[in-house]
Amino acid sequence: MEASRAMLLLAAALFSYVATASAAKCSMHGFCDSKNKLPCIYNGVPKPVTDESARTIMKEACGDYFAIHGDSLCCDAAQIKELAKQVKALEELGLRRCEACYANFQKLLCNMACSPHQGDWLRVIHYDNEPHEVAEQAAFYVDYKTLRNLYGSCINAKKFLRFVPLSFAYCGQDYHNCTMNLWYGALGKRRSGLTSLDITYEPV
């Protein structure tokens, strides 16, 4: 129980620090390729989320996000709906069976997509041809301990059998030899169903 609590506090600490370190700014906002769910490059301030249905969906997917971060976010209604599908995918993988794993994952997805301080730690590194409006790949800079503890809360040797579906999903047939780097490498691919664009997790 204490270990799980520590993992949750570590993740919360990272994003609390980011929220107070600098002014709010985004790296992306909205979908410029709605068919493939690829976001628009947007280096500006967060925008208000006024769509009531989107606000309801956001609360269901990410809890009291507006109360914590305010009404202006780096995602719009369409992105919130896509984010809700990604959070739902966590449940389908069975992560609800572990409070720490699910909560850490949920926080990661919600902040990556919508945090008003997204621009502090997410950078677009590959985009479409001119006029460079569509983000295709991004680097997500995360504290190493947070990455390590998220991985540890989901892939735990003592609970390994409970999380075989998760490790198999991201490490393939050789899931017994799954490593943190392999896991995050697979996790950041669009085909994982947990991100709208390819993400490279960069420990800092």
Side-chain angles (χ1 to χ4, degrees):
M1 181 65 72
E2 288 301 317
S4 296
R5 177 177 171 77
M7 290 172 191
L8 291 172
L9 290 175
L10 270 169
L14 169 68
F15 293 113
S16 295
Y17 168 77
V18 168
T20 57
S22 61
K25 61 180 179 180
C26 306
S27 294
M28 305 179 296
H29 189 279
F31 287 132
C32 276
D33 183 339
S34 57
K35 179 181 179 181
N36 295 306
K37 306 299 183 185
L38 291 173
C40 305
I41 297 172
Y42 171 70
N43 297 306
V45 298
K47 298 181 180 182
V49 178
T50 57
D51 185 298
E52 287 301 324
S53 64
R55 292 178 68 90
T56 299
I57 292 170
M58 186 68 179
K59 186 171 184 178
E60 292 173 352
C62 300
D64 295 328
Y65 207 82
F66 291 110
I68 298 170
H69 298 281
D71 293 324
S72 295
L73 303 177
C74 291
C75 58
D76 64 6
Q79 286 177 292
I80 288 172
K81 291 175 183 176
E82 188 65 20
L83 171 61
K85 294 178 183 177
Q86 295 166 3
V87 173
K88 182 67 175 177
L90 298 180
E91 297 183 23
E92 293 172 355
L93 284 169
L95 268 65
R96 275 289 193 181
R97 290 177 291 174
C98 177
E99 178 187 355
C101 179
Y102 179 81
N104 284 334
F105 239 127
Q106 180 191 44
K107 185 181 293 292
L108 185 79
L109 295 181
C110 294
N111 278 298
M112 184 163 56
C114 293
S115 171
H117 294 270
Q118 180 193 73
D120 288 339
W121 35 262
L122 191 145
R123 181 170 61 90
V124 175
I125 58 176
H126 194 274
Y127 38 78
D128 63 333
N129 295 324
E130 295 288 351
H132 303 321
E133 295 178 342
V134 182
E136 296 179 340
Q137 185 177 357
F140 185 32
Y141 298 92
V142 189
D143 175 72
Y144 176 80
K145 287 185 178 180
T146 299
L147 289 177
R148 186 73 203 175
N149 282 293
L150 170 57
Y151 175 75
S153 69
C154 296
I155 306 295
N156 186 308
K158 293 180 180 178
K159 304 174 183 177
F160 189 80
L161 290 178
R162 293 173 60 190
F163 300 107
V164 164
L166 183 64
S167 55
F168 179 81
Y170 298 131
C171 289
Q173 297 286 346
D174 195 28
Y175 62 82
H176 285 287
N177 295 315
C178 191
T179 65
M180 188 175 81
N181 288 340
L182 286 173
W183 198 66
Y184 278 111
L187 180 67
K189 299 298 184 184
R190 290 183 63 205
R191 63 175 177 266
S192 71
L194 300 178
T195 176
S196 295
L197 74 167
D198 286 337
I199 296 290
T200 301
Y201 289 88
E202 299 285 354
V204 294

